[in-house]
Amino acid sequence: MSFSFFKPSRPKTPPEVTKAIKDSLNALDTKTVAEVKALEKAMEEVEKNFVTMRCMLSGDGEVEPNVEQVSQLALEISKEDVISLVVHKLPILGWEARKDLVHCWSILLKQQVDSKYCCVEYIEKNLELLDFLVVCYDNKEIALNCGNMLRECIKFPSLAQYILNSASFVLFFKFVELPNFDVASDAFSTFKDILTKHASLVAEYLTGHYDEFFDLYEKLLTSSNYVTRRQSLKLLSDFLLEAPNVQIMKRYILEVRYLKIMMTLLRDSSKNIQISAFHIFKVFVANPNKPREIKIILAKNHEKLLELLNSLSGKGAEDEQFEEEKELIIKEIEKVSRLQSLKS
């Protein structure tokens, strides 16, 4: 008869992995967090369980993940409220645990069980989790993890729509200018995804919140921070020129205040900003239905504008098209400046 003192442990099932994660996260209560040794032990348990979850979801480098187990784990994690638990425990998790969680989060959201995204459906029923993740940009220790998790959520229209229409969306106008460069850049990446991933949703949002949104956006375009000005100008061009936003664009280019902002940005010390500003400025000028107020501004400033435009050149492969567009805009400004009706 042979004996083995070291029996290999039986692989855990998805319900067992889910229970282990839930129990270890619940162990991170107020009392445990206050005691150093107890906290260390509890954190070790969480990290161990997250590694198990990661291996079950994406394999261990040698063995591929079992598709059925992956689906079952996603279902169990949704059913047992583990999604809510991991989000709310994020601020006290260690670096390794957060890294594994972000990796698993992406896989879990994409899992379909009976043609339904069970984890996404869970978040749809617990939308405050999205608000929690947004507010976490104020905590630089976990901001980048939360940013990654938010961008995964934004891939799904229902979750993106909630963020767009939530009170927490306006916080992005603050977060993109935070003093910590990495956090501000990450917040801008999320902000950009919200405004570009689902064009029809964004068009609907901008139609209903036009004044509020562009009042806040104006502050980004006129920021003293070069990176903020450059990124926000490029993003404005990206979403304003999208086909579903054509009515928003038509409204935007009727407003003198926004023309003046673009004229100011054309004088920016940065060539990149000048060129980005030109691509929006040209739409104001090329508009066949320019209001009288817009024409008056262009006519009064035509000499300075022509001088600016003549000194502006494109970049690399874009040179030829840029020069053609610039020539058309110069001709239109010259034409407007000669209009007798504006001189009365």
Side-chain angles (χ1 to χ4, degrees):
M1 187 180 285
S2 63
F3 293 93
S4 172
F5 291 102
F6 303 102
K7 289 185 179 179
S9 58
R10 176 180 62 82
K12 287 183 175 178
T13 63
E16 288 170 341
V17 172
T18 303
K19 185 178 185 307
I21 292 169
K22 187 174 183 178
D23 290 348
S24 60
L25 286 169
N26 279 326
L28 294 173
D29 55 22
T30 310
K31 186 180 176 184
T32 303
V33 172
E35 297 175 13
V36 178
K37 284 187 178 179
L39 177 60
E40 283 179 4
K41 187 178 178 184
M43 284 292 194
E44 280 177 17
E45 197 62 26
V46 170
E47 287 179 11
K48 183 183 79 175
N49 291 324
F50 276 17
V51 168
T52 304
M53 172 170 66
R54 180 173 181 148
C55 288
M56 185 171 281
L57 290 173
S58 56
D60 60 4
E62 294 179 6
V63 180
E64 288 294 307
N66 179 302
V67 178
E68 282 185 22
Q69 282 196 329
V70 171
S71 295
Q72 194 183 354
L73 182 60
L75 194 59
E76 289 292 328
I77 279 175
S78 304
K79 199 167 66 179
E80 295 297 324
D81 287 328
V82 172
I83 293 175
S84 179
L85 204 52
V86 294
V87 169
H88 286 115
K89 295 290 184 180
L90 252 173
I92 55 174
L93 294 180
W95 186 83
E96 281 293 340
R98 294 200 306 269
K99 187 180 75 169
D100 283 335
L101 173 59
V102 169
H103 177 86
C104 294
W105 183 264
S106 169
I107 299 169
L108 287 167
L109 291 191
K110 292 170 189 167
Q111 290 311 305
Q112 285 184 281
V113 180
D114 296 331
S115 75
K116 292 180 180 178
Y117 294 99
C118 53
C119 293
V120 173
E121 285 192 349
Y122 179 90
I123 297 171
E124 286 172 348
K125 292 170 186 170
N126 297 272
L127 290 165
E128 72 282 355
L129 296 176
L130 295 173
D131 294 311
F132 185 91
L133 288 172
V134 172
V135 172
C136 282
Y137 268 118
D138 255 335
N139 181 343
K140 66 181 181 182
E141 295 300 318
I142 60 170
L144 304 189
N145 304 117
C146 291
N148 271 309
M149 292 165 73
L150 273 171
R151 286 191 291 279
E152 290 299 327
C153 291
I154 290 161
K155 291 175 182 177
F156 298 89
S158 60
L159 305 186
Q161 185 175 33
Y162 172 78
I163 297 172
L164 256 179
N165 290 283
S166 70
S168 52
F169 175 62
V170 297
L171 293 175
F172 280 99
F173 291 93
K174 178 187 89 167
F175 294 148
V176 299
E177 293 215 82
L178 286 170
N180 184 300
F181 178 78
D182 290 337
V183 174
S185 296
D186 194 276
F188 199 91
S189 293
T190 306
F191 186 54
K192 180 180 178 181
D193 277 6
I194 295 170
L195 292 171
T196 57
K197 288 287 182 188
H198 309 284
S200 56
L201 289 180
V202 173
E204 185 183 327
Y205 166 78
L206 291 175
T207 300
H209 302 81
Y210 180 89
D211 291 325
E212 176 193 2
F213 178 83
F214 284 108
D215 281 351
L216 289 167
Y217 209 92
E218 181 178 340
K219 292 173 185 174
L220 300 183
L221 293 170
T222 56
S223 169
S224 59
N225 185 309
Y226 162 74
V227 175
T228 301
R229 287 200 311 282
R230 182 178 174 183
Q231 287 184 323
S232 57
L233 187 56
K234 175 69 171 65
L235 176 57
L236 179 65
S237 180
D238 287 346
F239 73 78
L240 207 54
L241 302 179
E242 283 272 355
N245 290 327
V246 65
Q247 295 305 320
I248 302 297
M249 183 197 71
K250 285 180 178 178
R251 186 173 172 183
Y252 190 84
I253 60 173
L254 296 179
E255 301 204 38
V256 169
R257 65 191 275 203
Y258 299 135
L259 171 63
K260 287 180 176 178
I261 290 171
M262 292 309 139
M263 287 166 61
T264 300
L265 291 169
L266 277 173
R267 299 199 308 269
D268 199 277
S269 57
S270 160
K271 183 180 176 182
N272 285 316
I273 287 180
Q274 288 181 324
I275 290 171
S276 294
F278 171 78
H279 288 304
I280 299 176
F281 172 77
K282 71 185 181 188
V283 187
F284 281 90
V285 179
N287 178 16
N289 302 308
K290 289 186 284 293
R292 178 179 168 81
E293 294 84 354
I294 295 283
K295 291 177 182 176
I296 290 171
I297 294 288
L298 294 174
K300 278 185 178 178
N301 295 276
H302 79 277
E303 289 181 1
K304 287 180 182 177
L305 284 169
L306 296 181
E307 186 183 336
L308 257 174
L309 292 172
N310 280 315
S311 67
L312 198 59
S313 57
K315 297 184 291 184
E318 301 170 9
D319 271 0
E320 193 175 331
Q321 185 185 348
F322 181 85
E323 290 301 325
E324 286 175 8
E325 289 179 349
K326 190 175 78 170
E327 198 58 41
L328 288 170
I329 296 306
I330 287 172
K331 284 179 181 175
E332 180 62 23
I333 292 172
E334 287 174 336
K335 179 182 162 187
V336 169
S337 70
R338 290 194 295 268
L339 289 173
Q340 292 300 316
S341 61
L342 300 179
K343 295 172 184 177
S344 56

